[in-house]
Amino acid sequence: MTAFPLLLAALAMAPVPEVKAVRFTTIDHRAALRVLVSEDMPPVRITRDGAVALIRLPGVAPENFPLPAVERPLEGLWVEREEGATVLRLNVAPDVPFETSAEAGMVTIVFGEKPDPAQRGPVTPELYALLFPAGAVVGVDDEREDDEEDAY
């Protein structure tokens, strides 16, 4: 019987998973929402009903939790709190697909269809030449010749 109060005390002192930040970014030419969480965050539950998606994070967020500005395809973003959980409420058109992934310390929601590689076009030497003109590149041999001239 004396072990029960010790167990309760240990549970009360256990660290509570945290929701640390929400960022809006792009991944593979698609809009994405990244949620930074503590590494001990249990699995996240995501549900969708029409234009509303709920991301239920089993952790707590600070009271004045800042949210990023809403960008397309999102139409709204809010934080709701439940006991021991933080819920991100997203308004996104029902025809916009999304996929989620999770790794230690981060949950990512990517919106839209995955782009077809054929639509992105090939990466060619001509493209690299436009991005990195040859005149801006100094070869190792060019540097040696300059160093030899400076030595005399």
Side-chain angles (χ1 to χ4, degrees):
M1 294 275 188
T2 59
F4 186 69
L6 292 174
L7 178 62
L8 286 178
L11 289 174
M13 294 173 40
V16 176
E18 294 178 277
V19 180
K20 298 179 178 183
V22 177
R23 302 285 183 258
F24 203 82
T25 187
T26 57
I27 297 174
D28 200 20
H29 303 286
R30 298 185 292 165
L33 202 60
R34 288 215 156 156
V35 184
L36 303 175
V37 297
S38 57
E39 293 196 13
D40 58 345
M41 178 73 64
V44 173
R45 202 171 90 219
I46 300 176
T47 58
R48 184 174 193 169
D49 185 16
V52 177
L54 299 176
I55 303 167
R56 186 165 275 102
L57 303 149
V60 295
E63 194 59 39
N64 294 323
F65 190 66
L67 292 173
V70 173
E71 295 182 31
R72 296 189 72 133
L74 289 183
E75 298 167 355
L77 174 61
W78 298 271
V79 173
E80 298 175 357
R81 288 176 171 73
E82 297 176 352
E83 188 173 331
T86 301
V87 179
L88 294 178
R89 177 182 290 272
L90 311 174
N91 277 11
V92 60
D95 62 333
V96 175
F98 64 85
E99 58 190 65
T100 61
S101 63
E103 57 190 78
M106 187 177 335
V107 176
T108 304
I109 303 98
V110 183
F111 301 93
E113 297 287 338
K114 195 167 194 167
D116 181 10
Q119 291 178 334
R120 286 190 271 169
V123 178
T124 63
E126 292 79 19
L127 177 60
Y128 274 106
L130 292 172
L131 295 172
F132 306 103
V137 177
V138 176
V140 175
D141 292 335
D142 294 340
E143 289 179 11
R144 284 191 196 135
E145 289 176 14
D146 289 343
D147 290 342
E148 290 173 7
E149 290 175 9
D150 291 339
Y152 295 107

